[in-house]
């Protein structure tokens, strides 16, 4: 490796860690929004409607 390419590798050393941190934060944020939505009255009615629809499709 030349000094120039070695310097480029050293400059991006923490980039992967930062990307993982951003993706983890985004995942936690989305999970929080989904949890809040599905535990609300609207979410409960939505899930109940889906479940009723699935039960209507079943032959038994």
């Amino acid at each position: 490796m030349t000094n120039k390419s070695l310097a480029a590798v050293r400059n991006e050393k923490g980039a992967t860690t930062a990307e993982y941190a951003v993706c983890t934060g985004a995942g936690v944020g989305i999970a929080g929004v989904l949890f809040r939505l599905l535990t609300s009255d609207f979410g409960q009615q939505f899930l109940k409607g889906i479940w009723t629809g699935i039960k209507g499709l079943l032959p038994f």
Side-chain angles (χ1 to χ4, degrees):
M1 283 180 127
T2 64
N3 286 342
K4 188 173 185 177
S5 62
L6 185 59
V9 171
R10 286 185 185 158
N11 288 340
E12 296 180 5
K13 187 174 182 180
T16 303
T17 304
E19 290 166 0
Y20 281 123
V22 168
C23 290
T24 301
V28 169
I30 291 170
V33 168
L34 280 175
F35 177 78
R36 188 73 171 163
L37 174 71
L38 295 177
T39 56
S40 68
D41 290 336
F42 169 76
Q44 292 296 308
Q45 292 299 320
F46 181 70
L47 290 174
K48 193 177 288 187
I50 290 174
W51 181 246
T52 304
I54 290 172
K55 285 191 335 186
L57 294 174
L58 296 175
F60 48 88

